[in-house]
Every structure is written in structure tokens, then in C-alpha cells.
Amino acid sequence: MKHTTTDRASDLAGLYTLSIRMVIGWTYFSAFWRRLVLENKLTPDESGYIGEKFNHFLPNALGIKPIIEYLVTHPDALQRSMMTFTIIEAVVGLCIILGLITRLMSIGIFSLALGILLGSGWLGTTCVDEWQIGVLGIAGGFVLFLTGSGPYSLDYYFMKNNKSFTHKKWFSWLGSGLLPIWKPKVFVLAGTIIIFGLTLFTNQYFHGGVWGTLHNKSVKPKLEISAISLNDSTLTFEVYRTEGADVYGSFLIGIQVLDKNGDTIEEINQEKLSTFPKEHIHNHYVAKVKPGKHSMIIPLGAKADITLNLNHPETANSLKLIDISGIEWTTEIHPE
């Protein structure tokens, strides 16, 4: 069969995106490489467990927060999901690098990037790191779906050596070659508008990057105190870390109980927090609040119930938590 001008244009389109294909493919395949080959990051309760990293997404995820919360409250389901995601990333990334069933795998790239965007697009201590990874992955996946793979791909090899198989219409949709779409200009423009709209919306939602005041939720730690109650001499409260850098915890160096005049009546200092009884901490998620070497550590996304025994509960009026950075959080105490 004679090679037509249309086929030639399709080959060149796939060729021109070779570098994009390789880089995006490695971006996703490297997740498998990092978690299983270089280190084992799929084992719960070990340093670097990917499930705890996933927990970091929870506080400010967009649209998929219930899914994340379900997984981080069900450790077995979380581990299975992390293993499944890792395998999917490995298969999708390797197939993209090899140029095998490229269009189907580009949908995988698009979907994985969308998950990154919605889950962690708000993270990034020095730049809008995760947001950029997400939106560029979505745009790159869309481009690869349009172009498929050209020379230097398995799709191309099969197209040249097994034409009776690869000239079927389904291969054009799942593999490479000329994409059989009606009104391609309309299809490309519509897809571009949707992706660009998603880019602007998420940039504004996560970072205020389109108008108004810029904000970065990954810079300063933020603790939310709730469900606080005083029953006789037992004070209980729930602490939830919703902002700050994901690479290290909030280091709590002080818990103070104040009277109505704001004077400290009881205090747990930095030394006592480093040896705080673990039985007085009830963690909700896989990211755990726990005593550390010099303070109490509260990782991003961690939520726990803390129990204190007070010596002078009758004058307790408010509770103050103090971070090592000097940031303080105060809330009123409600006796039962």
C-alpha cells in the first residue's frame, strides 16, 4: 500500500512528540522504579511509606477527598490501592516509552495526572510543584492521544510489519496512526479549551494564581482544634493538621491550659511532649501524631484525639497549642 501524504503527516506528528513521550513515560514509570527497585515504599509502618504521603493530600484535595479519607482510614485497602496505582503507573509509563498502544496509554496518563492535580495540586513549598505536574501531565496526555507514536515506537513497527492487523479502525483509536476523528479542528479546540479552563480554575482554587491574593498552603503549619471537652479532670480534643510542608511535621513544643484571664494554669512543655504517653493519642489516619525526639510531631493530614489529665480543671477556660515556629492556636474549653 502506497504511503500517502496523510500517513506521512501522521508519522511526523508522532515523531515530533518523541521527547514528550519519553519524558512523560519515565515520569510515571519512575514511580514504580522509586517505590520498588530503589527502595521499598509500599510497606506500612516503614519510613517513606507511600500511603502516608497519600494521606498528605487529604486536607485540601478537590472533589476526591471522600475517596482519600476512606483509604487512609482503611489501611489494608490503602496498601492494595497503592500497589495497584504503582503497577498501573509502571505499565502506562513503560508503554508510553516504548510507544505501545499509545493512545490508550495516553488516556492513562491523562487520568493519572488528573488524580495528581485534584489530590495534591495545592502542595508545593517553593513553587506550585504538584499543580504544575498535574496540568502538564493532562496537556501532555492529550497531545499524545492526538499524535500517537511515530518512528521509534512499537506501534510504528507493527504498523509497518503487520498491516492487516494495524489498519483496523480500533487500532487507530487505541494505538497510533491517523486519528479517525470528524472535524479535528473542533475536537482539538474543544479539548484545549477544557484543559486550559481546568488549568485556570485549579490555579485559582489552589493558589489564587489568576486574580486576588496569592496563597501557598504548604509554607506554614496550620492546626485545627475541635471536639474539645472537659469531663471532671479529663480534657479531650481533636487536632488536625491541614496545612504546611508535607516533607516534615508540625513540631508541637507546648500545650497550655489557660484560665479566663489568659494566665497559664497547666502546661505540658517540650520535654514532656517528647515523651507523651502514646495511649493518650488516638490516631484516625495512617499519618500519625506521635511523640518525637524533641517534641510532639504532627504530620500533614494527621488527625488524632488527645487526652490530658488536669490538676485544676475548675478554672480551665481555653487551650493553647504552640508550634516550634512560634505559631499558636487557641480555642475555648467547653465543660460537659
Side-chain angles (χ1 to χ4, degrees):
M1 184 174 179
K2 188 176 180 180
H3 197 73
T4 66
T5 302
T6 303
D7 292 333
R8 175 66 175 168
S10 177
D11 293 347
L12 289 176
L15 176 63
Y16 293 157
T17 57
L18 178 62
S19 61
I20 295 177
R21 205 184 84 216
M22 292 296 178
V23 171
I24 289 181
W26 175 253
T27 299
Y28 288 92
F29 182 77
S30 66
F32 162 82
W33 193 257
R34 294 191 311 272
R35 295 172 199 162
L36 284 178
V37 179
L38 301 182
E39 290 184 60
N40 186 353
K41 295 186 176 184
L42 293 175
T43 303
D45 300 324
E46 289 196 6
S47 177
Y49 174 48
I50 190 64
E52 185 170 339
K53 302 289 185 182
F54 189 67
N55 197 158
H56 296 164
F57 300 170
L58 177 61
N60 298 290
L62 174 60
I64 60 173
K65 187 179 293 188
I67 298 174
I68 298 175
E69 185 161 25
Y70 174 82
L71 291 175
V72 297
T73 53
H74 296 78
D76 291 341
L78 176 64
Q79 186 183 23
R80 288 194 298 270
S81 297
M82 294 300 98
M83 294 177 67
T84 301
F85 290 152
T86 300
I87 293 170
I88 290 173
E89 287 176 312
V91 171
V92 168
L94 183 60
C95 286
I96 287 291
I97 291 173
L98 297 176
L100 178 64
I101 48 174
T102 304
R103 289 198 170 107
L104 178 61
M105 294 298 105
S106 72
I107 296 173
I109 293 291
F110 187 99
S111 302
L112 291 168
L114 182 62
I116 292 172
L117 176 64
L118 297 180
S120 61
W122 65 281
L123 287 169
T125 53
T126 59
C127 192
V128 285
D129 306 333
E130 301 295 330
W131 174 80
Q132 288 178 335
I133 292 171
V135 295
L136 289 174
I138 290 171
F142 182 62
V143 169
L144 291 178
F145 179 81
L146 295 174
T147 65
S149 296
Y152 313 117
S153 72
L154 290 180
D155 280 351
Y156 188 83
Y157 173 82
F158 291 134
M159 289 166 64
K160 298 305 175 187
N161 294 278
N162 195 344
K163 295 182 179 180
S164 62
F165 176 73
T166 58
H167 278 193
K168 297 182 183 297
K169 191 173 182 179
W170 66 264
F171 185 84
S172 297
W173 281 106
L174 301 181
S176 296
L178 183 64
L179 184 62
I181 54 175
W182 183 63
K183 293 187 176 180
K185 290 183 179 179
V186 175
F187 182 84
V188 173
L189 180 60
T192 300
I193 290 173
I194 292 171
I195 292 172
F196 187 57
L198 179 65
T199 299
L200 295 180
F201 170 72
T202 52
N203 191 207
Q204 176 63 27
Y205 180 87
F206 289 130
H207 305 288
V210 181
W211 71 82
T213 304
L214 284 169
H215 56 266
N216 189 339
K217 296 181 179 180
S218 297
V219 176
K220 297 180 180 179
K222 178 181 178 182
L223 301 183
E224 295 181 357
I225 307 170
S226 61
I228 184 168
S229 65
L230 178 60
N231 185 6
D232 295 329
S233 62
T234 302
L235 176 67
T236 61
F237 64 94
E238 182 181 88
V239 62
Y240 181 28
R241 183 172 164 217
T242 58
E243 294 183 15
D246 57 321
V247 292
Y248 54 84
S250 170
F251 300 102
L252 204 64
I253 61 170
I255 298 178
Q256 297 178 350
V257 179
L258 313 176
D259 62 19
K260 62 181 180 180
N261 297 318
D263 296 324
T264 302
I265 57 173
E266 301 204 31
E267 180 176 14
I268 303 176
N269 60 24
Q270 183 174 352
E271 182 179 354
K272 291 180 180 178
L273 285 171
S274 68
T275 58
F276 194 84
K278 292 183 179 180
E279 61 269 21
H280 290 179
I281 304 173
H282 173 68
N283 284 288
H284 293 224
Y285 306 142
V286 293
K288 292 179 172 55
V289 178
K290 57 187 176 182
K293 187 175 182 179
H294 301 292
S295 64
M296 180 179 285
I297 301 173
I298 307 180
L300 179 60
K303 179 188 286 188
D305 300 320
I306 308 294
T307 301
L308 307 177
N309 293 316
L310 304 184
N311 295 316
H312 306 285
E314 64 280 356
T315 56
N317 180 261
S318 59
L319 176 72
K320 179 189 289 187
L321 305 184
I322 305 170
D323 185 75
I324 196 170
S325 65
I327 300 175
E328 300 177 351
W329 302 273
T330 304
T331 188
E332 291 185 357
I333 295 174
H334 305 288
E336 291 188 355

